[in-house]
Amino acid sequence: MKTFKNIFILVLIVSAGFSTANAQTTKKDKKAAKEAAIKSSVDARNYTFNANYVLPQRGGGRVLTSLYDLRVTKDSVIAFLPYFGRAYFDVPYPAGDGGIKFTSTKFEYKVEEKKKGGWEITINPQDAKNTRRLILSVSPDGYASLSVSSTNRDMIMFDGTLESNVKK
């Protein structure tokens, strides 16, 4: 009877070990699939950066409660982002919306892989009125940081996530 009890305990321990190893493999598989999807979207120039936090050069950071994004496709870059900071020109009355809002079809696009994984994407829109450069730093798991440099405004940074424009 004692031997049967020991064998039963041994079977339970071995089966628990297999299920734990299987769960870890599944988690690693999901992470690898997500990284591959992000890489594919970056390579295909078909993704959206969803901003959820803004850090202006002057003042404190703010959590964004509305939907703001930067959509990138092969032939266009569409920005719909807020702006908090200092402008260096006279603003006509009425001031307008004041955000970073443009659609660019003429732009330079450069991707560099980082040493520890991820990508740094530089976008220079040539037909956007005040925006000179967008630098998007993307981690392999989809978290990203966007830095926007303008001709007549302080630089501003956004944190958020990157997702593919391709729907599953």
Side-chain angles (χ1 to χ4, degrees), residues 24-121:
Q24 289 176 350
T25 303
T26 304
K27 192 174 184 180
K28 286 181 183 179
D29 290 344
K30 285 181 182 178
K31 184 176 179 181
K34 185 174 182 179
E35 288 179 12
I38 297 294
K39 180 173 177 23
S40 172
S41 297
V42 168
D43 291 342
R45 293 187 191 186
N46 196 17
Y47 56 87
T48 299
F49 167 76
N50 294 308
N52 54 32
Y53 189 79
V54 60
L55 186 62
Q57 194 169 11
R58 300 167 196 264
R62 300 175 186 182
V63 174
L64 298 174
T65 56
S66 298
L67 299 175
Y68 294 103
D69 63 8
L70 175 76
R71 287 183 304 238
V72 177
T73 63
K74 283 187 185 248
D75 58 355
S76 66
V77 175
I78 303 166
F80 180 72
L81 299 164
Y83 182 77
F84 305 98
R86 184 174 179 183
Y88 294 104
F89 63 94
D90 293 331
V91 178
Y93 184 81
D97 57 0
I100 302 168
K101 298 172 180 73
F102 65 85
T103 298
S104 176
T105 55
K106 291 175 162 181
F107 57 92
E108 294 174 14
Y109 185 92
K110 184 173 98 174
V111 178
E112 290 182 22
E113 282 203 39
K114 295 181 187 176
K115 290 181 181 178
K116 294 186 177 182
W119 305 268
E120 185 157 301
I121 303 164

Side-chain angles (χ1 to χ4, degrees), residues 1-16:
M1 190 69 164
K2 197 172 189 182
T3 308
F4 180 72
K5 193 176 190 182
N6 288 341
I7 291 173
F8 181 72
I9 291 173
L10 182 64
V11 168
L12 282 176
I13 292 172
V14 169
S15 65

Side-chain angles (χ1 to χ4, degrees), residues 95-155:
D97 57 0
I100 302 168
K101 298 172 180 73
F102 65 85
T103 298
S104 176
T105 55
K106 291 175 162 181
F107 57 92
E108 294 174 14
Y109 185 92
K110 184 173 98 174
V111 178
E112 290 182 22
E113 282 203 39
K114 295 181 187 176
K115 290 181 181 178
K116 294 186 177 182
W119 305 268
E120 185 157 301
I121 303 164
T122 304
I123 303 170
N124 295 317
Q126 297 167 349
D127 55 351
K129 187 176 180 183
N130 290 319
T131 305
R132 280 195 340 240
R133 178 175 295 140
L134 307 163
I135 299 175
L136 189 60
S137 296
V138 183
S139 71
D141 55 352
Y143 292 101
S145 177
L146 174 66
S147 169
V148 181
S149 299
S150 301
T151 52
N152 297 319
R153 296 176 174 176
D154 280 345
M155 185 186 83

